[in-house]
Amino acid sequence: MSAGATLPSPVGPRDSPQAARNALAEGFAVRIGYWAERTGAASAEIAFLKHAARELALASCDGHVCLPLRELPGTDPEAARRALLASGVAVEAGSRVLSTAAWPLVIDGDRLYLRYYFDLETRLAAALAALAAAPPVDTAPVERLRAVLDARFPSRPDAGPDWQKVAAALASNRRLTIISGGPGTGKTTTVAAFIACLLELEPELRIALAAPTGKAAARMREALAARARGLPESVRAKLPGEAHTIHRLLGATPEQGHFRHHAVNPLVLDLLVVDEASMLDLALAAALLDALPAHARLVLLGDKDQLAAVEAGAVFADLSAGWRFGEAWAARLSALTDVPVGVLMQGSDEGQGATLADSVVWLTESHRFRADSGIGRLAREINAGEGAAALGWMRTGVDPDVVWIEGESVQAGVAGDATPRAWPSAAALAAMENGYAAYFAALREMPPGEPPSARVARVFAAFERFRVLVAVHSGPCGLAAINAHLAGRARAALGVDLAAGPFWAGRPVIVLENDPVTRLFNGDVGLCLPDAGGAARVYFPAADSGHRSLPPQRLPEHDTAFALTVHKSQGSEFAEMLLLLPARPSRVLSRELLYTAITRATRRVTIAGVDPVFTAACAARGERFSGLGDKLRG
């Protein structure tokens, strides 16, 4: 085990059986214990070390970067610190010997880290702090930049501060800009506008667009193209025509976690814009910052209220936790936007003393959901933890855009048992099947003379309008069971017999690993359809619009995709969505999961669940233990 050792990756689904997590944690504890024995540690110290290593491993399985010493049961933080240091395998972060030996565990303040995660977090914090401290970018004289911004963001009398304009002004001036906003708050509109501004001022600017998943990258490209239609042709011609997954942008190699672009071989660009940055885990964020050229600007777009990444860390939430413009930057932005200095300096309490406070803007005005819309109201109440209130008005059916399908609870038997008699219920299963009715109809249609490319586009459009989302992998409400059920219904509806094999026409698939050879990446969704000659192919959205296809045998690891986990749905958008909750509360359920799920829909949300499961999820915060925020505080 080396100084950079970490837990096996991936550690498995976050809702994998408890026994598997315990086995992984126990194995790690045993290995650390052997290490301590070789250093001559006393038996009592080894026993405590193994206990701490086991707890740290379990925390890592749940996506935590570190473990506060106070979370170690059975001892106080100072006693834990002394015992860990005495074991000979843990070292204080500020110690001069940290770089002189293979220390597997690091104590930084009141947090215990695996050395691997400590090094990643320290490196990322240093890179972000350097970007934030860089002097303003000399884009153009204030008067010229002001005129360009005014052209993209017309005056809004009596409408309050234009935070989109503030964000665009900030991104035009700073090396690091972090823009957080919920669905419909104008993040992509803001990006299109400030990119257009910069291209008018710097026509040769080299710009790259990226996102963590293929779906998010495609949505970013499409949204930017749609918002660019009103721009001058000279500017439109210079807009980036492609958005990459981050893995593709960095040049993923067959060796996990290694990329062709890094500090020694940086990316060739002047501006990098990353959408859906809430999906960035610690390791990927560190790799991205390593590969950023010294002169380049970085803009991160995301939603601080969404789920954190599947892997370790909650990077975007840590970076966008607070904002508060200092006097110098408030004055500069006020001169560009007319937003009063006092308003720009109000900020948030969390922004006080933060290294990145001058780099962050929150967009809060939704243009997708009306203030009185059902989806918008539901999102607000979930974020506020008001589960009972949300249930109350959903049950009334007053808003047809938000539907609640209630599980029938057992009244007899164990007191307080709220397990549904049969869950998913017939009503929940019927709603899922009805959601895909338009897709099945599109597959059955074959208009005379329709070109194959047009058919693929039509079928994709029908499939993308609806999706089933689940919270867990196993059990009757889990990913495997729901996909099996819906696949069976699809085959019946389409008349597909078992002889058709696994790649029958209409089967949706999701890629589960990065494969640079086929240019397919974790989270990409494709459809199995026949080509012009009737041969089975799997079609995926192409980077430059349209679709490309592969023979099924070339697919990397994949699964059926009628249902997705909420995590896998991030970066996607559907007109309608059905969220199926499990029959009992689960440790993976949180308000962030509910919020992320319902904000995938633009028109209609259906939630199928049981009262106590929904309310418990609304009450649970998806906290991730991390030291990144503290490292970025002044």
Side-chain angles (χ1 to χ4, degrees):
M1 189 170 184
S2 67
T6 183
L7 297 176
S9 180
V11 297
R14 291 175 63 193
D15 59 342
S16 58
Q18 186 69 32
R21 298 172 69 251
N22 290 343
L24 175 63
E26 185 61 34
F28 179 69
V30 169
R31 292 172 68 182
I32 288 291
Y34 287 154
W35 189 316
E37 287 178 8
R38 292 197 299 270
T39 68
S43 58
E45 293 160 353
I46 293 174
F48 181 78
L49 173 70
K50 291 171 68 175
H51 163 69
R54 188 180 300 107
E55 294 297 319
L56 181 58
L58 290 171
S60 297
C61 287
D62 288 334
H64 299 291
V65 174
C66 57
L67 184 65
L69 296 177
R70 67 177 183 275
E71 295 292 324
L72 288 172
T75 186
D76 65 86
E78 279 310 308
R81 180 193 308 276
R82 290 193 299 271
L84 289 167
L85 294 176
S87 72
V89 296
V91 65
E92 292 271 15
S95 172
R96 288 186 296 177
V97 301
L98 179 59
S99 61
T100 64
W103 300 94
L105 303 179
V106 178
I107 300 174
D108 187 13
D110 63 350
R111 299 179 179 93
L112 176 64
Y113 287 83
L114 291 165
R115 173 69 179 273
Y116 171 73
Y117 287 136
F118 174 78
D119 287 346
L120 281 177
E121 189 177 88
T122 302
R123 195 168 85 229
L124 177 61
L128 290 166
L131 277 178
V137 180
D138 188 16
T139 302
V142 171
E143 297 78 11
R144 173 69 175 134
L145 180 55
R146 164 78 188 240
V148 172
L149 286 167
D150 285 347
R152 301 284 164 252
F153 297 92
S155 177
R156 316 186 312 171
D158 304 321
D162 188 343
W163 292 108
Q164 291 184 30
K165 189 173 185 179
V166 171
L170 192 68
S172 301
N173 273 258
R174 285 191 69 85
R175 291 273 308 286
L176 174 65
T177 302
I178 300 160
I179 303 173
S180 176
T185 52
K187 296 189 295 292
T188 308
T189 299
T190 303
V191 169
F194 84 70
I195 287 178
C197 291
L198 290 177
L199 286 174
E200 285 192 43
L201 300 168
E202 305 175 64
E204 303 308 314
L205 199 69
R206 298 168 298 179
I207 303 170
L209 309 177
T213 67
K215 173 60 70 177
R219 277 192 57 222
M220 185 186 194
R221 183 194 68 241
E222 293 161 4
L224 186 62
R227 286 160 176 77
R229 292 182 185 128
L231 299 176
E233 175 57 34
S234 59
V235 174
R236 274 205 319 272
K238 291 184 176 295
L239 288 172
E242 185 175 0
H244 306 271
T245 64
I246 295 174
H247 282 84
R248 184 181 172 200
L249 178 75
L250 293 178
T253 69
E255 187 176 358
Q256 186 177 2
H258 289 257
F259 302 96
R260 289 194 301 275
H261 291 289
H262 41 69
V264 178
N265 180 35
L267 296 162
V268 181
L269 50 79
D270 303 308
L271 169 65
L272 174 59
V273 182
V274 179
D275 198 8
E276 296 292 347
S278 58
M279 299 168 68
L280 281 173
D281 60 78
L282 180 63
L284 190 57
L288 189 67
L289 268 292
D290 281 348
L292 195 70
H295 71 282
R297 281 175 274 200
L298 175 64
V299 178
L300 300 176
L301 308 168
D303 185 344
K304 63 183 177 61
D305 295 319
Q306 276 196 31
L307 276 172
V310 175
E311 302 298 334
V315 173
F316 190 79
D318 286 337
L319 304 190
S320 57
W323 67 275
R324 184 183 295 272
F325 294 117
E327 187 172 353
W329 273 101
R332 176 183 290 269
L333 293 172
S334 181
L336 292 169
T337 65
D338 282 339
V339 176
V341 170
V343 173
L344 291 165
M345 292 182 68
Q346 287 176 359
S348 66
D349 292 341
E350 296 86 350
Q352 185 69 44
T355 302
L356 305 188
D358 278 331
S359 296
V360 180
V361 176
W362 291 352
L363 303 181
T364 57
E365 181 184 357
S366 178
H367 305 280
R368 177 186 300 175
F369 305 128
R370 305 181 317 275
D372 60 346
S373 75
I375 298 177
R377 176 178 175 178
L378 183 58
R380 288 193 303 274
E381 292 188 351
I382 286 172
N383 271 341
E386 297 173 356
L391 269 176
W393 70 264
M394 278 196 292
R395 278 206 185 92
T396 67
V398 67
D399 193 317
D401 295 338
V402 177
V403 177
W404 172 255
I405 298 177
E406 191 162 7
E408 185 180 2
S409 298
V410 173
Q411 300 301 323
V414 179
D417 188 1
T419 305
R421 287 195 177 94
W423 190 248
S425 65
L429 293 173
M432 297 180 212
E433 295 159 19
N434 291 338
Y436 284 113
Y439 173 56
F440 299 154
L443 286 165
R444 288 191 293 264
E445 292 172 6
M446 188 73 77
E450 182 181 40
S453 60
R455 182 182 187 230
V456 171
R458 177 174 56 80
V459 171
F460 255 96
F463 178 68
E464 291 295 342
R465 65 171 291 279
F466 172 79
R467 195 72 85 251
V468 173
L469 303 184
V470 299
V472 296
H473 284 261
S474 57
C477 297
L479 185 70
I482 299 305
N483 267 323
H485 174 83
L486 291 172
R489 293 300 191 196
R491 293 172 75 113
L494 299 172
V496 177
D497 59 34
L498 294 177
F503 296 101
W504 43 273
R507 180 194 174 200
V509 298
I510 182 169
V511 175
L512 300 178
E513 64 181 11
N514 297 321
D515 184 17
V517 176
T518 59
R519 292 180 291 117
L520 292 174
F521 298 91
N522 191 351
D524 288 351
V525 173
L527 295 178
C528 302
L529 298 168
D531 63 13
R537 305 283 290 187
V538 185
Y539 289 81
F540 292 89
D544 55 352
S545 75
H547 298 85
R548 65 187 182 97
S549 68
L550 289 85
Q553 59 268 27
R554 290 194 62 198
L555 282 183
E557 185 182 357
H558 59 277
D559 198 1
T560 302
F562 282 111
L564 301 176
T565 62
V566 178
H567 268 292
K568 289 290 188 184
S569 76
Q570 286 182 269
S572 298
E573 182 179 286
F574 315 107
E576 300 184 17
M577 180 279 302
L578 184 149
L579 172 64
L580 177 66
L581 298 177
R584 294 182 181 277
S586 166
R587 63 185 182 82
V588 304
L589 292 175
S590 66
R591 69 180 65 169
E592 289 84 359
L593 182 138
L594 295 180
Y595 171 84
T596 301
I598 67 166
T599 54
R600 298 310 90 207
T602 59
R603 198 171 72 216
R604 194 168 194 245
V605 164
T606 300
I607 302 177
V610 184
D611 292 16
V613 174
F614 179 81
T615 54
C618 285
R621 295 301 303 265
E623 182 184 12
R624 287 280 181 92
F625 296 135
S626 161
L628 184 60
D630 281 353
K631 286 182 173 67
L632 290 171
R633 285 195 167 271

